[in-house]
Amino acid sequence: MSPEIITFLLAMTPVGELRLSIPVALSTYQLAWPVAYIISVLGNLVPVLFFLLFLDPASSWLSDNFVIFDKFFSWLFARTRRKHGDKIKKYGYPGLVLVVAIPLPITGAWTGTLVAFLFGIKFKKALPLITTGVLIAGAIVTSLTKAGIAIEKYFGYEVLLAVLGFGILVWLLYHVFSKHL
């Protein structure tokens, strides 16, 4: 299988998305960064299109035809809106872009699609918002990957690991102390 197809398929995965496909394309397959970026963005958007188009009709059909699904979806929507409705009201559509754009675990296009579905954001609004987030995430991941490759090339793996370790430490400290501020 060609590196481009593998990159496209990796970008479609729910956990990896383009956070996985871009580093693999650039470091393992040495694809040019514009090629890796475009293929990864397109691959990341394929499941978004599918789920935005079919999640609502599928859940409606299941709810209409099976009592257990009706109860499940009623519970899911009520619980999600009760627990997270304030955040959606506070951050609105830019919040959806940020959920997709920040390339961290439990964020990304799949999560953004679920948020759009659970909060009833229609296809015509959700697709451009999620696409914007994917484009931003792709730029961030591409930049960080290129920087990591350059650090490793010029300074070695030890320095790259030190930079990564320091970044993780700063992130952890921020999250520990931000709760107390």
Side-chain angles (χ1 to χ4, degrees):
M1 204 175 315
S2 75
E4 292 83 1
I5 291 173
I6 293 171
T7 300
F8 187 83
L9 293 174
L10 286 174
M12 291 174 63
T13 61
V15 176
E17 298 189 31
L18 53 67
R19 296 178 302 252
L20 173 64
S21 65
I22 290 173
V24 168
L26 294 177
S27 64
T28 304
Y29 298 121
Q30 285 85 39
L31 293 178
W33 73 263
V35 173
Y37 176 82
I38 291 167
I39 291 171
S40 295
V41 165
L42 292 175
N44 205 183
L45 289 173
V46 168
V48 169
L49 284 168
F50 177 79
F51 286 117
L52 283 178
L53 286 172
F54 298 113
L55 251 172
D56 190 44
S59 69
S60 295
W61 184 85
L62 288 169
S63 294
D64 291 344
N65 292 294
F66 299 96
V67 173
I68 192 164
F69 284 107
D70 184 42
K71 289 181 180 182
F72 170 73
F73 285 117
S74 296
W75 168 82
L76 179 66
F77 290 128
R79 180 179 181 271
T80 303
R81 289 177 180 149
R82 184 181 69 249
K83 289 185 84 172
H84 303 289
D86 294 343
K87 292 176 188 166
I88 295 296
K89 287 178 187 171
K90 180 178 180 181
Y91 297 109
Y93 293 141
L96 180 57
V97 173
L98 285 174
V99 162
V100 177
I102 299 171
L104 292 172
I106 313 172
T107 65
W110 283 73
T111 302
T113 303
L114 283 174
V115 168
F117 167 66
L118 291 171
F119 286 96
I121 302 172
K122 299 297 178 197
F123 180 87
K124 286 183 179 183
K125 277 280 191 200
L127 184 62
L129 295 169
I130 293 169
T131 301
T132 301
V134 168
L135 291 168
I136 294 167
I140 293 169
V141 172
T142 301
S143 300
L144 291 175
T145 303
K146 292 287 288 172
I149 291 169
I151 290 170
E152 190 275 328
K153 180 180 177 183
Y154 293 109
F155 301 106
Y157 258 101
E158 298 81 11
V159 174
L160 176 60
L161 291 175
V163 169
L164 290 173
F166 181 73
I168 291 168
L169 178 64
V170 168
W171 182 78
L172 288 171
L173 289 172
Y174 169 77
H175 281 286
V176 167
F177 290 115
S178 67
K179 292 177 184 174
H180 301 293
L181 297 176

